[in-house]
Amino acid sequence: MSNPLNLTIPEGLPFIDYDREFDFPVADVFRAHKDPDLIVQWLGPRGMKMEINHFDFRTGGSYSYLHTGPDGVAYEFSGVYHTVRENEFAIQTFEFGGYPDVVSIEFLTFEDLGDGRSRVRGHSVYPTQEARDGMAQSGMEGGMSEGYERLDELLSGAKV
């Protein structure tokens, strides 16, 4: 059984917090966020095909990718990495092509829990309450949960 995603969407505040524990070392979880060959195997909901235009998970790097659903509809995502510290922390922007000019800032913390376990904590800040509410209602919780389940599956069967 996988660990639950804990999502907090506070009333009247333009941010979303989440955390998820993993039964894998922090270095493995971090590498799965960093390596484009791994991230295409788990990021996003099941049934989506991921194609990376570019992916450079380092301070000053950027990313751009498409998720395409079974119906053939493609969704574009892009952003930049402001800060990346190995096995510890990342600050990135996140933009969905369907809502141009609405950019969130995401803070990811990678924690070593000991005994080969780890936790990822996220804090996503939106430019407006409306943007935050739109993201919260977009199905993000289900997509994130499925993505993290896929990450568990990848790490349990792969040499990371």
Side-chain angles (χ1 to χ4, degrees):
M1 182 172 176
S2 67
N3 297 305
L5 170 70
N6 302 303
L7 198 68
T8 302
I9 305 169
E11 186 69 34
L13 296 172
F15 64 83
I16 296 173
D17 289 328
Y18 59 91
D19 66 81
R20 170 65 153 74
E21 292 186 6
F22 295 90
D23 298 328
F24 302 97
V26 69
D28 289 353
V29 173
F30 186 87
R31 185 169 174 203
H33 283 75
K34 178 180 179 180
D35 185 335
D37 292 335
L38 297 176
I39 207 160
V40 297
Q41 298 179 57
W42 70 267
L43 185 63
R46 295 183 191 281
M48 291 283 196
K49 178 182 175 191
M50 184 175 182
E51 297 173 68
I52 292 178
N53 296 323
H54 69 274
F55 193 89
D56 187 8
F57 190 70
R58 64 175 178 81
T59 297
S62 62
Y63 66 92
S64 172
Y65 62 85
L66 293 174
H67 271 144
T68 304
D71 56 3
V73 176
Y75 305 92
E76 180 181 4
F77 301 91
S78 62
V80 298
Y81 297 105
H82 287 261
T83 302
V84 175
R85 290 195 299 263
E86 190 87 11
N87 300 329
E88 183 184 335
F89 185 70
I91 300 173
Q92 68 183 47
T93 63
F94 177 85
E95 183 173 9
F96 169 50
Y99 291 98
D101 304 328
V102 176
V103 178
S104 64
I105 300 174
E106 301 185 340
F107 304 81
L108 291 174
T109 303
F110 298 83
E111 300 173 16
D112 182 356
L113 299 178
D115 296 325
R117 300 189 73 245
S118 59
R119 178 185 302 125
V120 173
R121 290 185 187 274
H123 178 72
S124 301
V125 180
Y126 298 85
T128 65
Q129 188 66 46
E130 179 183 31
R132 194 291 308 256
D133 291 346
M135 179 58 76
Q137 296 167 2
S138 71
M140 74 175 283
E141 185 172 9
M144 288 179 70
S145 291
E146 287 184 13
Y148 284 143
E149 288 170 7
R150 295 172 64 200
L151 177 55
D152 282 337
E153 294 163 9
L154 174 68
L155 293 177
S156 67
K159 295 178 183 175
V160 180

